[in-house]
Amino acid sequence: REYRCAVQEACHSYVTEACQRNRGTDLEVNLSREIKSVNMSKAEGKKFLGKLSEVQMETFTLSPDQLGEKAGGVLSITATSEARHRALGEALDSIHESEPHTKIVVFANAFYGGYDSALSYLESSGRKFCRVSSDDTVQQQNEVISWFRHVDATEEDRSRPRVLLLSFEQAAGHNLQEACHHVIMYDPMYSGSDAVADASVEEQAVGRVMRQGQKDDVTVTRIVVKGPGGERCLDDWIVERNLDENVLQAATSNFD
């Protein structure tokens, strides 16, 4: 818990500083936020409700805050849903169908298994992608990021992967606006009851491409997993919380 709080505080401080630097400078591109909703399978729904029975609850329409300390176990089910895998593949295909050579940044929440889930899908799908691993040297990490910082100039550049996977915790400090204008949020950012901190982390991720120097309109696609019958579920609640007007205003207060 102390680690999570430290991450939240660091991210919030970074956003505050970055917003302060950009104060008074308007971007001339549009930001489009899209939702891609998918239903979990019946088997996943059964597993979801089974986990809830441990706390005497049996409904899809609840919030993580209602679960308290038990939220992690339930969130891990939705974070690793096969439906989420499918949605990521469809989102990538849809973007590349209209923009075959565009570079896409995928952000995932590492707290409840979302990042590992996205990584597992990308590896098993056979898609070419990049990620920044703690096992890599600093030089290797910088090289990967540089591929997504700059537009392609050579055939070698154009032959490199078009997808970069990052955890939300890896968002800080990267300037990807020159070569990227598509962001996919594999799962929403939730680390606890602090909505402003979580919204700050998400907005920081968006800010990797929605910043000075961006020449194209930016699209942010969020994957939202619902119950087997389309019931509202945890993702709906978290996304609505993180995008609440008052929460966003508090999270990005220094833009004004």
Side-chain angles (χ1 to χ4, degrees):
R1 182 175 181 82
E2 291 179 359
Y3 170 75
R4 292 179 184 177
C5 290
V7 169
Q8 292 171 359
E9 183 178 353
C11 290
H12 203 180
S13 297
Y14 181 88
V15 171
T16 299
E17 181 180 350
C19 293
Q20 181 70 31
R21 288 198 304 266
N22 289 331
R23 178 181 289 180
T25 307
D26 295 327
L27 287 172
E28 297 182 354
V29 298
N30 297 316
L31 172 62
S32 174
R33 300 181 189 266
E34 301 180 356
I35 299 289
K36 183 172 182 59
S37 298
V38 289
N39 298 348
M40 67 175 74
S41 67
K42 290 183 179 179
E44 290 169 342
K46 184 177 180 179
K47 185 177 179 181
F48 182 96
L49 294 177
K51 179 63 70 173
L52 286 179
S53 67
E54 298 176 7
V55 289
Q56 289 76 52
M57 294 183 183
E58 290 190 14
T59 178
F60 292 103
T61 55
L62 45 69
S63 74
D65 289 353
Q66 291 176 269
L67 297 172
E69 295 181 354
K70 299 291 186 179
V74 183
L75 284 167
S76 67
I77 295 173
T78 60
T80 59
S81 170
E82 291 291 329
R84 202 180 294 277
H85 287 181
R86 184 175 67 253
L88 176 57
E90 291 174 354
L92 292 171
D93 288 342
S94 177
I95 293 170
H96 280 147
E97 183 177 349
S98 57
E99 300 177 60
H101 303 296
T102 197
K103 299 176 184 179
I104 305 170
V105 188
V106 179
F107 286 101
N109 186 355
F111 284 136
Y112 302 108
Y115 178 84
D116 289 339
S117 175
L119 175 60
S120 174
Y121 167 73
L122 290 171
E123 289 178 335
S124 64
S125 70
R127 297 172 185 271
K128 291 184 177 182
F129 74 99
C130 294
R131 69 185 181 109
V132 176
S133 171
S134 58
D135 295 329
D136 296 335
T137 65
V138 173
Q139 181 178 352
Q140 289 173 322
Q141 294 177 8
N142 290 338
E143 183 178 32
V144 168
I145 294 299
S146 71
W147 295 346
F148 288 83
R149 287 188 62 185
H150 306 293
V151 296
D152 297 332
T154 66
E155 285 302 319
E156 182 181 3
D157 292 339
R158 286 184 278 274
S159 68
R160 291 182 176 129
R162 304 286 97 184
V163 177
L164 173 63
L165 173 64
L166 296 172
S167 68
F168 282 114
E169 291 77 15
Q170 294 173 322
H174 301 315
N175 299 324
L176 309 176
Q177 71 275 19
E178 291 185 9
C180 306
H181 63 279
H182 283 285
V183 170
I184 296 176
M185 292 192 180
Y186 183 74
D187 56 340
M189 182 63 201
Y190 182 85
S191 60
S193 59
D194 191 337
V196 172
D198 289 342
S200 294
V201 172
E202 287 191 347
E203 290 304 293
Q204 176 182 260
V206 174
R208 299 311 91 217
V209 299
M210 187 67 179
R211 59 192 301 111
Q212 294 304 318
Q214 179 60 259
K215 298 179 180 179
D216 298 302
D217 290 341
V218 172
T219 300
V220 178
T221 302
R222 292 172 177 268
I223 297 174
V224 171
V225 173
K226 296 178 174 290
E231 299 92 342
R232 281 176 53 84
C233 204
L234 297 176
D235 278 15
D236 290 287
W237 186 91
I238 298 171
V239 169
E240 289 177 5
R241 183 200 71 159
N242 290 358
L243 291 180
D244 177 82
E245 183 177 349
N246 292 329
V247 170
L248 280 179
Q249 184 174 2
T252 60
S253 58
N254 283 324
F255 272 112
D256 300 326

